[in-house]
Amino acid sequence: QVQLVESGGGLVQPGGSLRLSCAASGSIFSINVMGWGRQAPGKQRELVATITSAGLTNLADSVKGRFAISRDNAKNTVFLQMNSLKPEDTAVYSCYGGNTYSQRSYWGQGTQVTVSA
């Protein structure tokens, strides 16, 4: 009963920036960690960034120093700021919500990010 809806994807040139947003609704009280995953063509989904209920963040090595995750609790929204984008960042980016105790996982439908000249 958790709904996650992403927005902000699009086409950007290498070196550019995008900011993704994820609006959460439903039984969001059941979520203690949120984040972003991505899936490139021909590859499995990888977890890019997470943020806990306490505000602790973690980034994948591939995006560390370039991406940042944050949240606005009042608006039930999670953001992914993507800077210095590379062609290899091209993927469908999906919002993730989970509960580490119940093992429940929720995913949004994703938004396409394409980095190309």
Side-chain angles (χ1 to χ4, degrees), residues 48-105:
V48 172
T50 59
I51 183 167
T52 69
S53 299
L56 300 178
T57 61
N58 190 41
L59 298 172
D61 290 340
S62 58
V63 304
K64 195 170 298 181
R66 300 187 297 119
F67 292 9
I69 187 171
S70 61
R71 66 189 303 165
D72 185 338
N73 294 119
K75 297 182 178 180
N76 298 321
T77 303
V78 178
F79 305 96
L80 184 67
Q81 180 65 48
M82 310 165 65
N83 300 321
S84 302
L85 284 163
K86 306 174 181 179
E88 50 263 44
D89 294 319
T90 296
V92 174
Y93 285 73
S94 300
C95 184
Y96 165 80
N99 187 295
T100 57
Y101 297 99
S102 68
Q103 301 298 308
R104 290 183 173 88
S105 297

Side-chain angles (χ1 to χ4, degrees), residues 1 4-5 10 12 17 24-25 30 34 43 47 51 59-60 62 68 73 77 96 98-99 103 105 107 116-117:
Q1 296 182 3
L4 304 169
V5 181
V12 64
S17 299
S25 61
S30 66
M34 298 188 69
K43 300 180 64 177
L47 196 59
I51 183 167
L59 298 172
S62 58
N73 294 119
T77 303
Y96 165 80
N99 187 295
Q103 301 298 308
S105 297
W107 289 94
S116 176

Side-chain angles (χ1 to χ4, degrees), residues 3-28:
Q3 292 79 45
L4 304 169
V5 181
E6 305 94 336
S7 62
L11 176 64
V12 64
Q13 293 184 338
S17 299
L18 283 175
R19 191 191 192 202
L20 306 182
S21 299
C22 172
S25 61
S27 302
I28 57 177

